[in-house]
Amino acid sequence: MTEHVSENLSDHAYWNERYAGSAHGISAGAHGIWSGEPNAVLAREAAGLAPGTVLDLGCGEGGDAIHLARLGWRVTAVDVSDVALARAAEHAERAGVAERIEWQRHDLSETFPTGAYDLVSTAFLHFRDGTLSPRVLRSAAGAVAPGGTLLIEAHGGPPPWQHDLPDDLAFPTPEETVATLQLPPGEWEILRAERHPRSQRHPHTGEMATREDQTVLARRALR
Ligand SMILES: C[S@@+](CC[C@H](N)C(=O)[O-])C[C@H]1O[C@@H](n2cnc3c(N)ncnc32)[C@H](O)[C@@H]1O
């Protein structure tokens, strides 16, 4: 996830360039720059939940949002890139679930969607410098309705092919991610805070490699 950051591009311009497939050596395939499939952890966790309202933060090309809409969720899906959102909306039209998804453009470092949701999900919402924003993670927790669920899926370490990482880049442990959330004591149950391996395709060579990701799953008390 970590890349050399073009300092003078806004997040909006940076991610639009990436999604347009015109930058950073990553070209868009039939589905775009990602697979079009939902993230495996999101699919696994959603399978155990009754459909309700969900906020997908950093939705990209909509793989998770469309999967959730197909399961009957009413989805609010947010990204900084209007190129990604337009592509996601096209995919949702083709999947026949467009009416179940509202797409919203936010730069989450500046604005955050309103509302309270039965599920708030962030999958690989790493900012351009590779970090997870503590402020955005806390806002995500704050957007979970009583009795609702927070799912944070994130990288737990660099891809094995990346050798030019900045010296000061540290991937938080799942426990550190939980601590970052500053959840009010007694109000939340941590259901998962774990690392796990995941296969990922090298963006340039196409070779598969295993990297470490992390999952934090928490439930807010009813009340
Ligand atoms: C690695 S992609 C993950 C996309 C999707 N969640 C998935 O798993 O396929 C990170 C996403 O976060 C979005 N993003 C990055 N910075 C953002 C910001 N400041 N505000 C909103 N979205 C942002 C990017 O546009 C991108 O779609």
Side-chain angles (χ1 to χ4, degrees), residues 122 125 132-142 150 152 177 180-181:
T122 81
L125 181 55
L132 297 170
S133 159
R135 195 159 62 85
V136 172
L137 293 185
R138 285 177 208 135
S139 297
L150 173 67
I152 299 169
T177 302
T180 296
L181 293 170

mmCIF file of all heavy atoms in Angstrom, residues 122 125 132-142 150 152 177 180-181:
data_model
loop_
_atom_site.group_PDB
_atom_site.id
_atom_site.type_symbol
_atom_site.label_atom_id
_atom_site.label_comp_id
_atom_site.label_asym_id
_atom_site.label_seq_id
_atom_site.Cartn_x
_atom_site.Cartn_y
_atom_site.Cartn_z
ATOM 1 N N THR A 122 -14.275 -0.582 7.121
ATOM 2 C CA THR A 122 -13.182 0.057 6.385
ATOM 3 C C THR A 122 -12.238 -1.054 5.949
ATOM 4 O O THR A 122 -11.809 -1.849 6.782
ATOM 5 C CB THR A 122 -12.379 1.077 7.230
ATOM 6 O OG1 THR A 122 -11.437 0.379 8.033
ATOM 7 C CG2 THR A 122 -13.263 1.929 8.088
ATOM 8 N N LEU A 125 -8.190 1.145 4.236
ATOM 9 C CA LEU A 125 -8.313 2.607 4.125
ATOM 10 C C LEU A 125 -7.015 3.248 4.622
ATOM 11 O O LEU A 125 -6.978 3.990 5.593
ATOM 12 C CB LEU A 125 -9.530 3.099 4.919
ATOM 13 C CG LEU A 125 -9.810 4.604 4.875
ATOM 14 C CD1 LEU A 125 -9.940 5.106 3.445
ATOM 15 C CD2 LEU A 125 -11.058 4.936 5.677
ATOM 16 N N LEU A 132 -3.044 4.465 8.779
ATOM 17 C CA LEU A 132 -4.482 4.496 9.039
ATOM 18 C C LEU A 132 -4.710 5.740 9.879
ATOM 19 O O LEU A 132 -4.008 5.949 10.869
ATOM 20 C CB LEU A 132 -4.904 3.263 9.855
ATOM 21 C CG LEU A 132 -4.694 1.896 9.197
ATOM 22 C CD1 LEU A 132 -4.925 0.789 10.227
ATOM 23 C CD2 LEU A 132 -5.630 1.734 8.014
ATOM 24 N N SER A 133 -5.677 6.551 9.529
ATOM 25 C CA SER A 133 -5.881 7.802 10.258
ATOM 26 C C SER A 133 -6.619 7.542 11.569
ATOM 27 O O SER A 133 -7.766 7.083 11.554
ATOM 28 C CB SER A 133 -6.709 8.763 9.396
ATOM 29 O OG SER A 133 -7.317 9.742 10.205
ATOM 30 N N PRO A 134 -5.988 7.832 12.733
ATOM 31 C CA PRO A 134 -6.686 7.636 14.008
ATOM 32 C C PRO A 134 -8.005 8.398 14.056
ATOM 33 O O PRO A 134 -9.006 7.895 14.556
ATOM 34 C CB PRO A 134 -5.697 8.184 15.047
ATOM 35 C CG PRO A 134 -4.371 8.037 14.392
ATOM 36 C CD PRO A 134 -4.605 8.271 12.923
ATOM 37 N N ARG A 135 -7.999 9.608 13.500
ATOM 38 C CA ARG A 135 -9.227 10.416 13.565
ATOM 39 C C ARG A 135 -10.344 9.752 12.753
ATOM 40 O O ARG A 135 -11.493 9.683 13.204
ATOM 41 C CB ARG A 135 -8.948 11.828 13.020
ATOM 42 C CG ARG A 135 -10.021 12.832 13.360
ATOM 43 C CD ARG A 135 -9.470 14.239 13.275
ATOM 44 N NE ARG A 135 -9.008 14.579 11.946
ATOM 45 C CZ ARG A 135 -9.793 15.041 10.974
ATOM 46 N NH1 ARG A 135 -11.073 15.242 11.188
ATOM 47 N NH2 ARG A 135 -9.304 15.330 9.798
ATOM 48 N N VAL A 136 -10.007 9.224 11.589
ATOM 49 C CA VAL A 136 -11.025 8.563 10.758
ATOM 50 C C VAL A 136 -11.490 7.269 11.436
ATOM 51 O O VAL A 136 -12.688 6.962 11.455
ATOM 52 C CB VAL A 136 -10.482 8.303 9.338
ATOM 53 C CG1 VAL A 136 -11.445 7.443 8.537
ATOM 54 C CG2 VAL A 136 -10.234 9.625 8.623
ATOM 55 N N LEU A 137 -10.556 6.522 12.032
ATOM 56 C CA LEU A 137 -10.962 5.284 12.710
ATOM 57 C C LEU A 137 -11.906 5.591 13.874
ATOM 58 O O LEU A 137 -12.898 4.892 14.090
ATOM 59 C CB LEU A 137 -9.743 4.509 13.213
ATOM 60 C CG LEU A 137 -8.819 3.926 12.141
ATOM 61 C CD1 LEU A 137 -7.722 3.083 12.780
ATOM 62 C CD2 LEU A 137 -9.594 3.095 11.113
ATOM 63 N N ARG A 138 -11.614 6.658 14.624
ATOM 64 C CA ARG A 138 -12.508 7.022 15.746
ATOM 65 C C ARG A 138 -13.867 7.482 15.225
ATOM 66 O O ARG A 138 -14.903 7.168 15.805
ATOM 67 C CB ARG A 138 -11.869 8.114 16.600
ATOM 68 C CG ARG A 138 -10.760 7.560 17.471
ATOM 69 C CD ARG A 138 -10.079 8.655 18.278
ATOM 70 N NE ARG A 138 -8.713 8.234 18.530
ATOM 71 C CZ ARG A 138 -7.628 8.984 18.410
ATOM 72 N NH1 ARG A 138 -7.726 10.264 18.093
ATOM 73 N NH2 ARG A 138 -6.439 8.489 18.643
ATOM 74 N N SER A 139 -13.866 8.229 14.138
ATOM 75 C CA SER A 139 -15.151 8.650 13.558
ATOM 76 C C SER A 139 -15.932 7.432 13.079
ATOM 77 O O SER A 139 -17.166 7.386 13.195
ATOM 78 C CB SER A 139 -14.933 9.607 12.388
ATOM 79 O OG SER A 139 -14.308 10.781 12.823
ATOM 80 N N ALA A 140 -15.207 6.446 12.529
ATOM 81 C CA ALA A 140 -15.871 5.211 12.073
ATOM 82 C C ALA A 140 -16.555 4.528 13.262
ATOM 83 O O ALA A 140 -17.719 4.116 13.172
ATOM 84 C CB ALA A 140 -14.852 4.276 11.428
ATOM 85 N N ALA A 141 -15.836 4.415 14.379
ATOM 86 C CA ALA A 141 -16.438 3.798 15.570
ATOM 87 C C ALA A 141 -17.643 4.614 16.037
ATOM 88 O O ALA A 141 -18.678 4.057 16.425
ATOM 89 C CB ALA A 141 -15.398 3.678 16.677
ATOM 90 N N GLY A 142 -17.519 5.937 15.965
ATOM 91 C CA GLY A 142 -18.607 6.804 16.411
ATOM 92 C C GLY A 142 -19.847 6.697 15.536
ATOM 93 O O GLY A 142 -20.940 7.059 15.963
ATOM 94 N N LEU A 150 -18.333 -2.826 14.085
ATOM 95 C CA LEU A 150 -17.256 -2.110 13.398
ATOM 96 C C LEU A 150 -16.263 -3.138 12.869
ATOM 97 O O LEU A 150 -15.809 -4.003 13.631
ATOM 98 C CB LEU A 150 -16.544 -1.176 14.388
ATOM 99 C CG LEU A 150 -15.286 -0.464 13.872
ATOM 100 C CD1 LEU A 150 -15.627 0.545 12.769
ATOM 101 C CD2 LEU A 150 -14.571 0.254 15.033
ATOM 102 N N ILE A 152 -12.633 -3.351 10.855
ATOM 103 C CA ILE A 152 -11.466 -2.686 10.267
ATOM 104 C C ILE A 152 -10.552 -3.772 9.708
ATOM 105 O O ILE A 152 -10.057 -4.618 10.462
ATOM 106 C CB ILE A 152 -10.700 -1.862 11.320
ATOM 107 C CG1 ILE A 152 -11.606 -0.769 11.904
ATOM 108 C CG2 ILE A 152 -9.437 -1.242 10.702
ATOM 109 C CD1 ILE A 152 -11.016 -0.088 13.127
ATOM 110 N N THR A 177 -4.297 -0.895 16.958
ATOM 111 C CA THR A 177 -5.468 -0.350 16.247
ATOM 112 C C THR A 177 -6.646 -0.231 17.208
ATOM 113 O O THR A 177 -7.344 0.792 17.226
ATOM 114 C CB THR A 177 -5.827 -1.248 15.037
ATOM 115 O OG1 THR A 177 -4.689 -1.315 14.178
ATOM 116 C CG2 THR A 177 -7.008 -0.694 14.270
ATOM 117 N N THR A 180 -6.091 2.705 19.442
ATOM 118 C CA THR A 180 -6.306 3.954 18.701
ATOM 119 C C THR A 180 -7.765 4.376 18.716
ATOM 120 O O THR A 180 -8.084 5.570 18.706
ATOM 121 C CB THR A 180 -5.849 3.765 17.232
ATOM 122 O OG1 THR A 180 -4.463 3.527 17.230
ATOM 123 C CG2 THR A 180 -6.168 4.971 16.380
ATOM 124 N N LEU A 181 -8.663 3.390 18.739
ATOM 125 C CA LEU A 181 -10.091 3.701 18.648
ATOM 126 C C LEU A 181 -10.605 4.442 19.884
ATOM 127 O O LEU A 181 -11.620 5.136 19.818
ATOM 128 C CB LEU A 181 -10.900 2.404 18.461
ATOM 129 C CG LEU A 181 -10.683 1.685 17.131
ATOM 130 C CD1 LEU A 181 -11.330 0.301 17.159
ATOM 131 C CD2 LEU A 181 -11.263 2.516 15.988
#
